Amino acid sequence: MSDTHAQTVAYVRESMTEQREPPLSETGVYKWIHGNMLSTPLNVFLTLVSLWVIWTVLSHVLPWAVFGIWDAASLTECRAIRDELYGADGSVACWAVISERWQQLLFGFYPPEGYWRPVLAFVLFLAAIAPILFSSLPRKLLWLTLAAPFVMFWLIWGGTIWGPICIALGFVLGWAAIHYSGPRIGTLAAVILAIVLPLIYWLVIAGPLAQALSTVLPIGLNPVASREMGGFMLALIIGISGIVLSLPLGIVLALGRQSDLFLINKVSVIFIEVIRGVPLIVWLFTASLLLNYFLPPGTNFDLMLRVIIMVTLFSSAYIAEVVRGGLAALAKGQYEAADALGLDYWKSMRLVVLPQALKISIPGIVNTFIGLFKDTTLVVFIGLLDPIGLSNTIRASTDWNGIYWELFVFIGLCFFIFCFSMGRYSLFLEKTLRREHR
């Protein structure tokens, strides 16, 4: 047997060879460049054309941006400095308008001594949303998440601290109505009670209670009117409010559109189709102008609040269709499995169906949020001073009349940072959920 084996096997290695580095063509930057840019003659041609385009753009933009002027009090002074340093034909940016007016672009006409209030509110928002975005954080931080909206409102608008506290008590009443009366009167009746009871409390009791408490114990900040807010602070207030409020409302509408109950189904369908069928700018004009005709004389309905409501309703209609797509993509067996476990409708949706449908809908939901945040610039058409509106105000002054690109580049960069961050978190969440379900 050994002789036959020796005759059929020409060579048998008795020791392992030493490990060696892979060849240069199979690793590192060289492999990436060859595989992505030089793999075929067409890719080589497209790479050369792309490099030429990038070089042409950067050779004009980088000198204009890098050698810009930061210290000047007006466009005329900025041009005089440019003529002295680079000549009359020099092409450099006048970033002095940003260093001169950055507070106005960020905060609008908010009182300068109170800039710390919106900054603190934004930091509080980041801390409050972190437990929702990252599951690794302690669940106890969710108490901060619940309290943050009321504290942020008080910090930004000011006034007595008892107003937000009394408003928060209404939500506590709604929770108590569901928690304590649900087992006795049924889920549907408890939900109706949880809606009606807080509304009655807010309309009748909350205002007088807040005034009485502020009289006894006056604690508060200097009030700031909504008309004094503008810039990116305004965009963040409207955008964050619309995003936070439209997601649960959109989920409810999506479930309503798939409901077997005729009335709930048709109301959800009509709402979604009417809202989606009309441009957002029309709804903003409706909130700004037409809504006053349907309110009692002398009613003071804050314009920013009206805009937030319209933006929330508009976004929720799109969120509803995105979530409905996730529900439709879910296999029918998941619904049947939830029924087989003996779960009622709400438990099956909360524990089985919605987690999977929302996972499928993540890209569409984040895309809708990004579009909503960028659409906040439309409020300029109804008189609110968003960053675009403030740029027009700055350019209307005699000091900066005639400046364009610098303001628009700064505004675009700020919007890009927020939208890019949302997009990257979407990718992070998709990868995290994909790993957890392997």
mmCIF file of all heavy atoms in Angstrom, residues 19 24 50 52 73 93 104 142 161 174 202 212 257 280 284 291 304 311 344 361 372 388 421:
data_model
loop_
_atom_site.group_PDB
_atom_site.id
_atom_site.type_symbol
_atom_site.label_atom_id
_atom_site.label_comp_id
_atom_site.label_asym_id
_atom_site.label_seq_id
_atom_site.Cartn_x
_atom_site.Cartn_y
_atom_site.Cartn_z
ATOM 1 N N GLN A 19 3.865 32.345 6.627
ATOM 2 C CA GLN A 19 2.901 33.312 6.111
ATOM 3 C C GLN A 19 3.611 34.480 5.451
ATOM 4 O O GLN A 19 4.648 34.947 5.933
ATOM 5 C CB GLN A 19 2.018 33.842 7.247
ATOM 6 C CG GLN A 19 1.017 32.826 7.766
ATOM 7 C CD GLN A 19 0.060 33.439 8.756
ATOM 8 O OE1 GLN A 19 0.290 34.538 9.246
ATOM 9 N NE2 GLN A 19 -1.010 32.740 9.058
ATOM 10 N N LEU A 24 0.791 43.068 -3.765
ATOM 11 C CA LEU A 24 0.309 44.450 -3.756
ATOM 12 C C LEU A 24 -0.965 44.623 -4.561
ATOM 13 O O LEU A 24 -1.814 45.452 -4.225
ATOM 14 C CB LEU A 24 1.409 45.365 -4.303
ATOM 15 C CG LEU A 24 1.107 46.866 -4.307
ATOM 16 C CD1 LEU A 24 0.908 47.354 -2.876
ATOM 17 C CD2 LEU A 24 2.238 47.629 -4.991
ATOM 18 N N SER A 50 -13.630 62.431 -14.776
ATOM 19 C CA SER A 50 -14.046 62.871 -13.445
ATOM 20 C C SER A 50 -12.941 63.660 -12.753
ATOM 21 O O SER A 50 -13.208 64.695 -12.115
ATOM 22 C CB SER A 50 -14.439 61.666 -12.588
ATOM 23 O OG SER A 50 -15.495 60.943 -13.177
ATOM 24 N N TRP A 52 -10.634 65.380 -14.195
ATOM 25 C CA TRP A 52 -10.538 66.691 -14.851
ATOM 26 C C TRP A 52 -11.630 67.636 -14.357
ATOM 27 O O TRP A 52 -11.383 68.810 -14.086
ATOM 28 C CB TRP A 52 -10.621 66.518 -16.371
ATOM 29 C CG TRP A 52 -10.608 67.828 -17.100
ATOM 30 C CD1 TRP A 52 -9.540 68.615 -17.383
ATOM 31 C CD2 TRP A 52 -11.767 68.509 -17.619
ATOM 32 N NE1 TRP A 52 -9.930 69.753 -18.041
ATOM 33 C CE2 TRP A 52 -11.296 69.718 -18.199
ATOM 34 C CE3 TRP A 52 -13.126 68.228 -17.652
ATOM 35 C CZ2 TRP A 52 -12.163 70.630 -18.811
ATOM 36 C CZ3 TRP A 52 -13.987 69.132 -18.263
ATOM 37 C CH2 TRP A 52 -13.500 70.317 -18.823
ATOM 38 N N ALA A 73 -16.145 95.356 7.755
ATOM 39 C CA ALA A 73 -17.425 95.817 8.296
ATOM 40 C C ALA A 73 -18.491 95.978 7.228
ATOM 41 O O ALA A 73 -19.654 96.181 7.555
ATOM 42 C CB ALA A 73 -17.247 97.139 9.033
ATOM 43 N N ALA A 93 -13.599 85.132 -1.534
ATOM 44 C CA ALA A 93 -14.860 85.237 -0.812
ATOM 45 C C ALA A 93 -14.780 86.306 0.260
ATOM 46 O O ALA A 93 -13.733 86.525 0.866
ATOM 47 C CB ALA A 93 -15.218 83.896 -0.183
ATOM 48 N N GLN A 104 -27.158 86.488 13.854
ATOM 49 C CA GLN A 104 -28.470 86.709 13.258
ATOM 50 C C GLN A 104 -28.895 85.516 12.407
ATOM 51 O O GLN A 104 -30.062 85.135 12.401
ATOM 52 C CB GLN A 104 -28.434 87.977 12.396
ATOM 53 C CG GLN A 104 -29.801 88.484 11.997
ATOM 54 C CD GLN A 104 -29.715 89.822 11.295
ATOM 55 O OE1 GLN A 104 -28.642 90.357 11.077
ATOM 56 N NE2 GLN A 104 -30.867 90.365 10.925
ATOM 57 N N LEU A 142 -34.837 57.660 29.770
ATOM 58 C CA LEU A 142 -36.101 57.966 29.093
ATOM 59 C C LEU A 142 -36.946 58.954 29.902
ATOM 60 O O LEU A 142 -37.812 59.631 29.336
ATOM 61 C CB LEU A 142 -36.885 56.680 28.844
ATOM 62 C CG LEU A 142 -36.288 55.743 27.776
ATOM 63 C CD1 LEU A 142 -37.083 54.443 27.706
ATOM 64 C CD2 LEU A 142 -36.279 56.446 26.414
ATOM 65 N N ILE A 161 -42.569 79.007 34.742
ATOM 66 C CA ILE A 161 -42.285 77.586 34.622
ATOM 67 C C ILE A 161 -43.527 76.737 34.875
ATOM 68 O O ILE A 161 -43.591 75.557 34.481
ATOM 69 C CB ILE A 161 -41.158 77.184 35.606
ATOM 70 C CG1 ILE A 161 -40.589 75.812 35.229
ATOM 71 C CG2 ILE A 161 -41.678 77.200 37.036
ATOM 72 C CD1 ILE A 161 -39.398 75.397 36.064
ATOM 73 N N GLY A 174 -53.950 61.675 30.997
ATOM 74 C CA GLY A 174 -54.242 60.723 29.928
ATOM 75 C C GLY A 174 -53.664 59.353 30.200
ATOM 76 O O GLY A 174 -54.317 58.323 29.972
ATOM 77 N N TRP A 202 -56.884 70.920 29.743
ATOM 78 C CA TRP A 202 -56.096 71.989 29.126
ATOM 79 C C TRP A 202 -56.949 73.216 28.817
ATOM 80 O O TRP A 202 -56.493 74.346 28.977
ATOM 81 C CB TRP A 202 -55.437 71.472 27.848
ATOM 82 C CG TRP A 202 -54.295 70.534 28.111
ATOM 83 C CD1 TRP A 202 -53.426 70.573 29.159
ATOM 84 C CD2 TRP A 202 -53.909 69.412 27.319
ATOM 85 N NE1 TRP A 202 -52.516 69.546 29.074
ATOM 86 C CE2 TRP A 202 -52.772 68.819 27.957
ATOM 87 C CE3 TRP A 202 -54.380 68.852 26.139
ATOM 88 C CZ2 TRP A 202 -52.140 67.688 27.431
ATOM 89 C CZ3 TRP A 202 -53.746 67.727 25.618
ATOM 90 C CH2 TRP A 202 -52.645 67.161 26.262
ATOM 91 N N ALA A 212 -52.413 80.859 38.921
ATOM 92 C CA ALA A 212 -52.469 80.843 40.388
ATOM 93 C C ALA A 212 -51.124 80.419 40.977
ATOM 94 O O ALA A 212 -50.638 81.024 41.949
ATOM 95 C CB ALA A 212 -53.581 79.894 40.847
ATOM 96 N N ARG A 257 -55.480 53.269 7.809
ATOM 97 C CA ARG A 257 -55.755 53.002 6.402
ATOM 98 C C ARG A 257 -55.890 51.498 6.133
ATOM 99 O O ARG A 257 -56.584 51.094 5.192
ATOM 100 C CB ARG A 257 -54.650 53.581 5.529
ATOM 101 C CG ARG A 257 -54.912 53.447 4.044
ATOM 102 C CD ARG A 257 -54.145 54.432 3.238
ATOM 103 N NE ARG A 257 -54.565 54.412 1.838
ATOM 104 C CZ ARG A 257 -54.256 55.315 0.934
ATOM 105 N NH1 ARG A 257 -53.501 56.344 1.275
ATOM 106 N NH2 ARG A 257 -54.678 55.217 -0.309
ATOM 107 N N LEU A 280 -47.052 71.826 -0.014
ATOM 108 C CA LEU A 280 -46.859 72.318 1.351
ATOM 109 C C LEU A 280 -47.019 73.824 1.423
ATOM 110 O O LEU A 280 -47.555 74.344 2.412
ATOM 111 C CB LEU A 280 -45.467 71.913 1.855
ATOM 112 C CG LEU A 280 -45.076 72.423 3.248
ATOM 113 C CD1 LEU A 280 -46.060 71.954 4.302
ATOM 114 C CD2 LEU A 280 -43.657 71.978 3.603
ATOM 115 N N LEU A 284 -49.153 76.087 4.091
ATOM 116 C CA LEU A 284 -48.558 77.148 4.905
ATOM 117 C C LEU A 284 -49.331 78.447 4.750
ATOM 118 O O LEU A 284 -49.559 79.169 5.725
ATOM 119 C CB LEU A 284 -47.091 77.347 4.518
ATOM 120 C CG LEU A 284 -46.155 76.184 4.861
ATOM 121 C CD1 LEU A 284 -44.741 76.490 4.398
ATOM 122 C CD2 LEU A 284 -46.161 75.896 6.357
ATOM 123 N N LEU A 291 -56.721 80.404 8.052
ATOM 124 C CA LEU A 291 -57.136 79.858 9.336
ATOM 125 C C LEU A 291 -57.749 80.919 10.242
ATOM 126 O O LEU A 291 -58.615 80.622 11.065
ATOM 127 C CB LEU A 291 -55.939 79.190 10.028
ATOM 128 C CG LEU A 291 -56.254 78.293 11.234
ATOM 129 C CD1 LEU A 291 -57.156 77.144 10.809
ATOM 130 C CD2 LEU A 291 -54.972 77.753 11.851
ATOM 131 N N MET A 304 -46.201 80.583 14.513
ATOM 132 C CA MET A 304 -45.271 79.463 14.501
ATOM 133 C C MET A 304 -45.982 78.171 14.885
ATOM 134 O O MET A 304 -45.716 77.107 14.308
ATOM 135 C CB MET A 304 -44.100 79.718 15.446
ATOM 136 C CG MET A 304 -43.003 78.653 15.334
ATOM 137 S SD MET A 304 -41.659 78.837 16.525
ATOM 138 C CE MET A 304 -41.002 80.417 16.039
ATOM 139 N N VAL A 311 -47.111 71.630 9.171
ATOM 140 C CA VAL A 311 -45.953 70.824 8.760
ATOM 141 C C VAL A 311 -46.074 69.407 9.310
ATOM 142 O O VAL A 311 -45.754 68.427 8.612
ATOM 143 C CB VAL A 311 -44.646 71.499 9.242
ATOM 144 C CG1 VAL A 311 -43.464 70.552 9.105
ATOM 145 C CG2 VAL A 311 -44.380 72.770 8.445
ATOM 146 N N ASP A 344 -53.898 40.123 21.127
ATOM 147 C CA ASP A 344 -54.937 40.981 20.563
ATOM 148 C C ASP A 344 -54.309 41.923 19.537
ATOM 149 O O ASP A 344 -53.112 41.874 19.258
ATOM 150 C CB ASP A 344 -55.656 41.757 21.665
ATOM 151 C CG ASP A 344 -54.720 42.650 22.478
ATOM 152 O OD1 ASP A 344 -53.614 42.958 21.985
ATOM 153 O OD2 ASP A 344 -55.076 43.037 23.602
ATOM 154 N N SER A 361 -39.109 50.168 6.763
ATOM 155 C CA SER A 361 -39.440 51.537 6.334
ATOM 156 C C SER A 361 -38.394 52.562 6.718
ATOM 157 O O SER A 361 -38.596 53.757 6.432
ATOM 158 C CB SER A 361 -40.793 51.945 6.945
ATOM 159 O OG SER A 361 -41.795 50.996 6.656
ATOM 160 N N LEU A 372 -38.517 67.071 5.026
ATOM 161 C CA LEU A 372 -39.261 67.977 5.906
ATOM 162 C C LEU A 372 -38.349 69.062 6.452
ATOM 163 O O LEU A 372 -38.727 70.248 6.475
ATOM 164 C CB LEU A 372 -39.880 67.173 7.051
ATOM 165 C CG LEU A 372 -40.436 67.974 8.234
ATOM 166 C CD1 LEU A 372 -41.593 68.839 7.781
ATOM 167 C CD2 LEU A 372 -40.871 67.046 9.361
ATOM 168 N N ILE A 388 -32.965 81.670 4.881
ATOM 169 C CA ILE A 388 -33.078 82.326 3.576
ATOM 170 C C ILE A 388 -33.680 83.718 3.735
ATOM 171 O O ILE A 388 -33.221 84.693 3.118
ATOM 172 C CB ILE A 388 -33.934 81.478 2.621
ATOM 173 C CG1 ILE A 388 -33.298 80.089 2.429
ATOM 174 C CG2 ILE A 388 -34.076 82.169 1.279
ATOM 175 C CD1 ILE A 388 -31.946 80.125 1.772
ATOM 176 N N SER A 421 -26.111 64.082 8.763
ATOM 177 C CA SER A 421 -26.122 63.358 10.041
ATOM 178 C C SER A 421 -27.318 62.414 10.121
ATOM 179 O O SER A 421 -27.186 61.267 10.578
ATOM 180 C CB SER A 421 -26.144 64.348 11.207
ATOM 181 O OG SER A 421 -25.016 65.198 11.174
#
